[in-house]
């Protein structure tokens, strides 16, 4: 994704009055997000908003709280920050979600080290799949 696209996403977040703007990933490959493409990072697909933004944030929070070794750090109407503790070594990864337009963008990054053996990307792929499953089930439950 070109730098202009990243800037547009960040400006949209600021324009919508969001108090937090997700930072780009550092040079290290132990970070993934939905808005940065360069020689070390390939953007992932954001989560689509389901129903209202409020409903989406409630669903997302519930889904994340059911995952093991998570700590909710901060939440507001369009932002969620969660810490994931890695079981084997006890490292902490920071995962942030932010609603921009009708998408939930995210950033998942290791606090320490350089390589993460794909842990952040795998986690976010699992979250993407869980989100799809939950929202698909809700859609099929509606009359």
């Amino acid at each position: 994704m070109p730098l202009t696209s990243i800037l547009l996403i960040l400006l949209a977040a600021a324009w919508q009055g969001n108090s937090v703007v997700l930072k780009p990933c550092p040079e290290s490959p132990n970070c993934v997000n939905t808005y940065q493409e360069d020689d070390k990072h390939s953007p992932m697909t954001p989560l689509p908003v389901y129903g209202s933004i409020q409903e989406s944030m409630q669903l997302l929070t519930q889904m994340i709280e059911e995952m093991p070794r998570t700590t909710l750090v901060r939440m507001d109407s369009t932002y969620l920050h969660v810490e994931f503790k890695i079981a084997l070594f006890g490292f902490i990864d920071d995962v942030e979600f932010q609603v921009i337009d009708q998408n939930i963008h995210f950033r998942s990054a290791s606090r320490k080290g350089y390589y993460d053996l794909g842990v952040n990307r795998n986690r976010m792929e699992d979250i993407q799949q869980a989100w799809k499953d939950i929202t698909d089930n809700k859609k099929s439950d509606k009359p």
Side-chain angles (χ1 to χ4, degrees):
M1 182 178 290
L3 182 58
T4 53
S5 296
I6 294 171
L7 291 174
L8 288 174
I9 289 171
L10 297 177
L11 286 173
W15 179 76
Q16 290 179 16
N18 295 334
S19 59
V20 177
V21 176
L22 303 179
K23 297 180 292 189
C25 286
E27 289 292 316
S28 59
N30 61 0
C31 177
V32 296
N33 64 33
T34 55
Y35 49 86
Q36 181 179 359
E37 184 172 9
D38 56 35
D39 60 332
K40 291 193 175 25
H41 304 96
S42 176
M44 298 183 73
T45 304
L47 308 174
V49 167
Y50 175 81
S52 69
I53 291 172
Q54 180 181 7
E55 183 178 3
S56 290
M57 291 303 288
Q58 287 173 346
L59 277 174
L60 181 62
T61 303
Q62 290 169 355
M63 183 181 84
I64 296 296
E65 287 179 331
E66 291 175 5
M67 299 177 80
R69 297 175 307 282
T70 60
T71 303
L72 180 64
V73 176
R74 178 178 169 197
M75 180 183 166
D76 65 31
S77 61
T78 61
Y79 176 80
L80 177 64
H81 177 194
V82 183
E83 293 175 343
F84 283 82
K85 187 173 185 177
I86 306 304
L88 186 58
F89 299 110
F91 295 131
I92 304 291
D93 291 346
D94 290 292
V95 179
E96 298 173 282
F97 300 88
Q98 185 173 32
V99 177
I100 301 173
D101 295 327
Q102 290 298 305
N103 289 302
I104 304 169
H105 287 271
F106 56 79
R107 176 184 189 268
S108 180
S110 302
R111 284 189 185 172
K112 295 187 178 189
Y114 187 79
Y115 292 108
D116 70 345
L117 304 174
V119 169
N120 282 291
R121 181 166 294 275
N122 290 339
R123 176 188 308 112
M124 298 316 296
E125 287 172 350
D126 290 347
I127 287 173
Q128 285 175 318
Q129 185 59 54
W131 183 255
K132 182 180 182 324
D133 293 346
I134 288 169
T135 56
D136 285 352
N137 285 339
K138 287 198 155 292
K139 287 175 191 171
S140 66
D141 289 345
K142 289 188 176 181

